[in-house]
Amino acid sequence: MILPIYLYGHPVLRRVAEDVETTDKEEITQFVADMYETLEKTGGIGLAAPQVGRSARVVIVDLRPLAEDFPEYADFKRTYINSHIVDYNEDKDTSDEGCLSVPGISEKVIRPTKIRIQYLDDKFEPHDEWVSGYLARVIQHESDHLEGKMFVDRLSPLRKQMIKKKLNNILKGIVSCNYKVKFKK
């Protein structure tokens, strides 16, 4: 089932997400499948549960659409359940980021180049691994959603001021998307 994307300004995007109880694996598996179906419809590469209205620590990443430019991601499709970034390296990199919940806005964001993440995969197996490069950036972006943050929160006050009108338009529902959305009530 394709789920609506909750847009900037919706309260669910500002809540710290809770770990999910893994006792109902069938329900979580169905929710993850719905998230992947939604992600495919939007053309995105990552999605966090709060972006579809659920304050839960679930993230999906599908980098296969980038395989032409990044062959190492040809088969990369991962689920991160109850994920927590537990460490970062000191090196940082700046790159453009956009977000399905903030359509029409792309800005440069500074992030660590390497992270350590602990999570359960789609088979509910535990992992503790260091991730680097573009994947580290995507995971950090999605993990921000789990912490009630968005990439626009990482911008300088000047950059935020420069995109204020666009953000206000999203709050007012003046936005064009090719996917189903849910605005702030």
Side-chain angles (χ1 to χ4, degrees):
M1 172 174 61
I2 296 173
L3 306 167
I5 301 294
Y6 285 58
L7 296 186
Y8 175 82
H10 200 286
V12 73
L13 295 172
R14 295 304 186 174
R15 287 189 209 124
V16 176
E18 303 275 332
D19 279 354
V20 296
E21 291 294 327
T22 57
T23 51
D24 192 352
K25 292 182 168 111
E26 202 172 295
E27 189 274 330
I28 296 168
T29 300
Q30 182 58 56
F31 177 63
V32 167
D34 291 345
M35 286 179 68
Y36 275 113
E37 188 176 350
T38 302
L39 185 64
E40 185 176 332
K41 175 71 174 169
T42 64
I45 57 170
L47 190 63
Q51 292 181 272
V52 292
R54 189 164 166 183
S55 189
R57 293 194 82 83
V58 178
V59 165
I60 61 169
V61 176
D62 186 352
L63 299 181
R64 295 175 302 169
L66 306 177
E68 191 173 309
D69 295 324
F70 301 98
E72 65 270 29
Y73 297 134
D75 296 320
F76 194 93
K77 182 179 177 183
R78 293 248 171 87
T79 301
Y80 300 86
I81 299 168
N82 294 342
S83 64
H84 294 271
I85 296 174
V86 295
D87 203 0
Y88 300 85
N89 71 340
E90 301 264 336
D91 296 332
K92 298 198 187 297
D93 181 37
T94 302
S95 190
D96 278 330
E97 291 188 22
C99 183
L100 296 171
S101 293
V102 190
I105 298 175
S106 176
E107 291 288 332
K108 293 195 178 304
V109 177
I110 301 169
R111 295 195 186 269
T113 59
K114 190 173 181 182
I115 60 169
R116 181 175 161 213
I117 185 170
Q118 296 173 342
Y119 66 97
L120 303 175
D121 64 19
D122 59 342
K123 307 251 188 295
F124 303 93
E125 296 294 323
H127 295 267
D128 184 335
E129 60 192 34
W130 281 92
V131 178
S132 60
Y134 189 71
L135 176 58
R137 175 169 293 278
V138 173
I139 291 173
Q140 289 174 79
H141 176 102
E142 300 306 332
S143 293
D144 274 357
H145 285 295
L146 302 180
E147 300 301 329
K149 298 178 184 159
M150 303 179 80
F151 84 95
V152 294
D153 300 333
R154 296 188 174 276
L155 303 177
S156 71
L158 177 61
R159 288 304 309 161
K160 280 188 202 171
Q161 189 61 37
M162 293 176 77
I163 64 168
K164 188 176 182 174
K165 182 177 180 186
K166 289 180 181 181
L167 292 173
N168 284 335
N169 281 343
I170 295 170
L171 291 173
K172 294 174 188 172
I174 304 169
V175 65
S176 177
C177 297
N178 62 349
Y179 46 88
K180 190 167 47 168
V181 298
K182 189 148 184 154
F183 296 97
K184 175 184 173 184
K185 291 183 179 186

